Amino acid sequence: MSDRRDFMGMALGAFTGLGALGALYAAKRTWDPLPSVKAAGFTKLDLKNYKEGELVTEVWRGKPIFVMKMKKDMLEKAKKREDSTAKGHKDIERLIKAGDGYYMVCVGLCTHLGCIPGYRPETEDFLCACHGGQYTETADVKKAPPPRGLDIPPFKLEGTVITLGEEGPEYKKMLADGITLPV
Ligand code: FES
């Protein structure tokens, strides 16, 4: 009889132990950050996957990031225009050159009061509906009140892949030249 009780006790103990382990495992899964959260500091984008003239909104550290490959006519316009924030820079210097293309990669938050501007394909520019601010296709400021173009997030370029959140030489040069402010 006592053997049977011992056996029942052991079985119950094992069962309870397993239950506790299961609960611990479930709790750990709940506490562990999701893979997307773990990698939240950095976002890798392969620019060769983007189509000319199509605005795509990505996310980096919870912020919207506008990415668009420039069309030929956009590039021509940008080559002629001066950058509004820097002394004598061409607007095209706000773009990232990767592979065979030029890309606009910017934080999609208005530099006036932080609304999200909308892209207008028909006029190839951005309108911020909050106070009527406008940006060019390279996201430089076109009409006040925004004080400057959309900020460029820190990036590191390797081939056509950019890692947002890392500071490569191309980004450091943009900062040094006053083309963007640190984000
Ligand atoms: S927040 Fe964009 S114009 Fe004011």
Side-chain angles (χ1 to χ4, degrees):
M1 187 65 185
S2 98
D3 279 359
R4 188 174 144 78
R5 214 178 294 134
D6 285 353
F7 172 75
M8 291 294 282
M10 270 168 21
L12 190 65
F15 183 73
T16 313
L18 272 179
L21 266 181
L24 266 178
Y25 177 69
K28 178 170 161 27
R29 280 182 51 139
T30 309
W31 295 328
D32 272 354
L34 294 169
S36 58
V37 175
K38 278 189 196 164
F42 303 102
T43 299
K44 262 190 198 297
L45 306 172
D46 193 340
L47 295 175
K48 74 173 182 309
N49 297 330
Y50 296 81
K51 295 196 185 106
E52 284 185 3
E54 262 184 39
L55 183 83
V56 178
T57 305
E58 306 284 0
V59 178
W60 168 69
R61 293 186 186 163
K63 296 182 172 69
I65 301 293
F66 291 160
V67 183
M68 184 161 62
K69 184 177 186 184
M70 295 289 107
K71 295 195 299 184
K72 241 194 183 125
D73 68 298
M74 292 172 162
L75 270 180
E76 290 313 313
K77 278 192 275 180
K79 274 180 191 159
K80 289 179 198 141
R81 211 183 296 123
E82 299 287 315
D83 182 283
S84 69
T85 53
K87 316 106 203 149
H89 290 291
K90 294 288 182 205
D91 206 1
I92 195 171
E93 293 177 70
R94 295 179 51 79
L95 302 173
I96 298 174
K97 167 100 178 78
D100 65 347
Y102 285 83
Y103 299 82
M104 181 273 292
V105 179
C106 289
V107 177
L109 297 172
C110 184
T111 53
H112 181 221
L113 291 175
C115 292
I116 299 179
Y119 182 62
R120 303 187 294 188
E122 60 289 357
T123 42
E124 296 183 340
D125 63 358
F126 294 84
L127 169 69
C128 181
C130 288
H131 311 97
Q134 289 178 23
Y135 298 88
T136 65
E137 70 292 321
T138 63
D140 194 9
V141 68
K142 180 174 166 188
K143 183 169 169 273
R148 61 182 187 280
L150 298 183
D151 295 321
I152 297 165
F155 69 89
K156 187 170 163 200
L157 181 65
E158 287 159 300
T160 58
V161 176
I162 53 168
T163 305
L164 302 180
E166 285 193 49
E167 296 190 5
E170 294 85 357
Y171 173 73
K172 286 183 181 157
K173 183 169 185 325
M174 285 183 178
L175 271 185
D177 289 349
I179 288 169
T180 184
L181 290 181
V183 179

